[in-house]
Amino acid sequence: MLSKETIRIIKSTVPVLEIHGVNITKRFYQLLFLNHPELLHIFNHANQKQERQQTALANAVYAAAMHIDHLPAILPAVKQIAHKHRSIGIQAEHYPIVGKYLLVAIQDVLGEAATEEIIAAWAEAYKVIADVFIGMEAGMYEQSARQAGGWEGYRDFVVKRKVKESDVISSFYLVPRDGGPLAGFEPGQYVSVKLEIPGEEYTQIRQYSLSDAPGKPYYRISVKREEGHPDRPAGKVSVYLHRQVKEGDILRLSAPGGAFTLNREDPRPVVLISGGVGITPMMSMLNTLADTDPQRPVIFIHTAVNGNMHAMREEVKSLLPKLPHLSVYFCYTRPTDSDKTARVHHHEGYLNLPWMKTVIPTTDAQFYFCGPVSLMKTVYRALKTWGIPAADMHYEFFGPAVSLDDV
Ligand code: HEM
């Protein structure tokens, strides 16, 4: 139990740390990797460069600190992060290391303002927060190892089939090399893939949503090839998977996890909205509904740049006979001339609320959305304006979460 005084110090210093938030976490990562270079094998360096990870970690620590006297309030956020940690393989013994360098970073950035009293209070608070994560992750490790077909750590999978889904997205059908059973999962969950890329100094770990329903003799992931842009380098892992990995090759996977899952108990209509490669968890949800709950009303909205970039169009259409209450809408932001003549899309341009209202017949539904941050912001704002309660909105970021409210 933290003393009242410690809680007071923590709460009064959070706003100060927030001002310096990203500087503190940047300094923290410098120190962490300098002293523990082995951790460079588990962090995603692309996220570091884009500073999304720094912001995500800073926000999570400060949010936890603000709720230090009633941590249950932030358990949903902890759960989402703990899933990611478990999927990657973060261990209890990593926490004191992170705590140590977080405190040093706070001291470095705040200088004299970081009194001994403040540092002692943060050391105590960090331990309390870390214990919540460690406890939750321990439960998740146990569950993923114990469930039928489950396993600990990473397991070898053979690429059974590699299928081109669009100009930029390819699917990989993966079966366990040991021939053993496959763990079930909830539609919407992801796996981590751990890769040694020739010429790269560090191991690379990435998360990919499972894009088919559970209960199949394989896991399917569908990966977008991330080309380089002036403000963003090409995705090392996705380019490697697309260009080098072929059928028969081995990929190492951790057991499925993730908190963005279809609520199968709720009988209301399901609205699935995705952009680009954000279609992957939606395909798992849609295929699952087709397999297990075909009478459910489903509205499936997918946006892509154009028909060439549009993955899994035929797969979605093939589900129409299985799901009699499924409505499908494709939106192209920049349709090609042949898209226009073929009339394969239902809406041209970006999503907006007036159009969404014409195709979504009810607000009393569960809404799931996933895609680029810009699409997520548009959909979130639109649904909020329409009066959809937060509890009915479920969404997943690719990469560290960012706030949808500060727009
Ligand atoms: C991801 C918070 C401890 C390693 C994350 C994310 C958050 C977070 C918010 C982003 C989740 C997302 O992707 O949506 C925290 C907090 C911690 C903590 C509050 C302590 C209380 C640790 C420790 C390690 C670690 C001890 C291991 C050294 C990672 C890694 C990722 C991650 C590797 C994946 C993101 C990437 O590779 O860019 N954490 N974390 N975290 N965390 Fe932690």
Side-chain angles (χ1 to χ4, degrees):
M1 265 305 273
L2 295 176
S3 70
K4 278 210 169 101
E5 181 55 10
T6 304
I7 292 170
R8 188 193 63 74
I9 295 174
I10 294 296
K11 290 199 170 183
S12 64
T13 48
V14 167
V16 184
L17 297 190
E18 265 171 344
I19 296 171
H20 297 285
V22 172
N23 285 340
I24 293 173
T25 31
K26 267 190 187 169
R27 178 79 186 123
F28 155 72
Y29 279 114
Q30 275 172 0
L31 290 164
L32 185 73
F33 295 144
L34 190 70
N35 292 284
H36 288 271
E38 75 282 3
L39 293 179
L40 285 162
H41 291 288
I42 59 172
F43 279 88
N44 175 340
H45 302 255
N47 285 345
Q48 296 279 321
K49 285 197 187 113
Q50 289 171 44
E51 295 189 3
R52 274 177 74 182
Q53 180 57 25
Q54 279 88 331
T55 314
L57 182 85
N59 286 345
V61 172
Y62 304 138
M66 267 329 256
H67 294 85
I68 193 74
D69 47 351
H70 52 111
L71 283 174
I74 59 152
L75 283 184
V78 174
K79 191 172 166 199
Q80 186 254 330
I81 300 165
H83 268 292
K84 181 75 64 86
H85 285 162
R86 196 285 304 156
S87 168
I88 293 169
I90 306 305
Q91 301 296 328
E93 52 270 26
H94 289 132
Y95 280 86
I97 303 173
V98 162
K100 176 175 171 186
Y101 294 106
L102 196 58
L103 289 182
V104 178
I106 291 175
Q107 265 170 326
D108 282 1
V109 173
L110 295 192
E112 282 178 7
T115 60
E116 244 173 63
E117 208 188 14
I118 291 178
I119 293 299
W122 273 91
E124 261 189 85
Y126 174 81
K127 178 135 191 1
V128 170
I129 296 168
D131 283 345
V132 175
F133 279 88
I134 292 169
M136 195 178 275
E137 286 160 24
M140 289 176 174
Y141 277 111
E142 211 190 301
Q143 206 253 335
S144 60
R146 203 187 42 209
Q147 76 173 125
W151 67 96
E152 267 178 63
Y154 287 82
R155 180 177 178 191
D156 284 354
F157 279 70
V158 182
V159 179
K160 196 83 185 156
R161 276 174 70 208
K162 182 175 173 182
V163 177
K164 185 172 167 174
E165 305 281 7
S166 78
D167 279 2
V168 288
I169 297 178
S170 286
S171 286
F172 297 78
Y173 289 74
L174 307 166
V175 299
R177 187 189 203 175
D178 56 31
L182 268 183
F185 60 90
E186 288 300 318
Q189 290 192 309
Y190 54 80
V191 290
S192 286
V193 177
K194 192 184 213 175
L195 282 172
E196 246 64 67
I197 300 182
E200 286 293 330
E201 196 176 353
Y202 303 111
T203 309
Q204 306 284 332
I205 301 176
R206 295 289 185 280
Q207 288 72 48
Y208 296 106
S209 300
L210 292 164
S211 61
D212 205 344
K216 310 269 149 105
Y218 54 81
Y219 286 158
R220 182 177 72 174
I221 58 170
S222 306
V223 179
K224 179 183 172 207
R225 193 178 67 239
E226 296 290 351
E227 302 290 358
H229 295 284
D231 57 339
R232 189 157 33 104
K236 279 180 194 151
V237 175
S238 67
V239 168
Y240 178 76
L241 286 169
H242 273 257
R243 302 234 167 98
Q244 309 293 333
V245 173
K246 49 189 191 318
E247 291 177 0
D249 285 352
I250 302 291
L251 293 179
R252 280 183 297 161
L253 263 63
S254 67
F260 175 66
T261 55
L262 180 67
N263 180 346
R264 298 205 237 172
E265 320 282 74
D266 185 336
R268 291 177 302 160
V270 179
V271 182
L272 305 175
I273 305 173
S274 58
V277 74
I279 196 169
T280 48
M282 303 305 167
M283 288 313 299
S284 183
M285 294 184 186
L286 192 62
N287 277 308
T288 303
L289 288 164
D291 286 350
T292 62
D293 195 4
Q295 292 306 318
R296 186 78 80 90
V298 185
I299 293 125
F300 186 93
I301 300 173
H302 178 64
T303 82
V305 175
N306 58 41
N308 301 332
M309 310 276 266
H310 183 173
M312 299 162 167
R313 180 165 64 205
E314 295 315 312
E315 184 174 331
V316 171
K317 288 194 341 206
S318 76
L319 294 171
L320 282 162
K322 288 195 196 162
L323 286 155
H325 308 293
L326 167 66
S327 312
V328 173
Y329 302 95
F330 299 136
C331 314
Y332 292 166
T333 47
R334 291 194 298 273
T336 61
D337 289 342
S338 62
D339 290 335
K340 286 185 188 170
T341 35
R343 297 166 150 266
V344 282
H345 62 289
H346 305 84
H347 173 71
E348 186 170 329
Y350 292 97
L351 283 186
N352 58 57
L353 183 55
W355 180 77
M356 285 161 68
K357 282 183 173 172
T358 65
V359 297
I360 304 173
T362 174
T363 51
D364 190 20
Q366 309 179 55
F367 292 82
Y368 295 84
F369 50 101
C370 181
V373 174
S374 56
L375 174 106
M376 309 268 290
K377 287 188 174 174
T378 305
V379 173
Y380 179 77
R381 256 188 278 184
L383 296 181
K384 212 170 153 184
T385 309
W386 203 10
I388 307 301
D392 289 339
M393 285 196 245
H394 311 276
Y395 46 88
E396 166 114 308
F397 286 94
F398 286 147
V402 298
S403 169
L404 288 178
D405 276 313
D406 59 353
V407 284

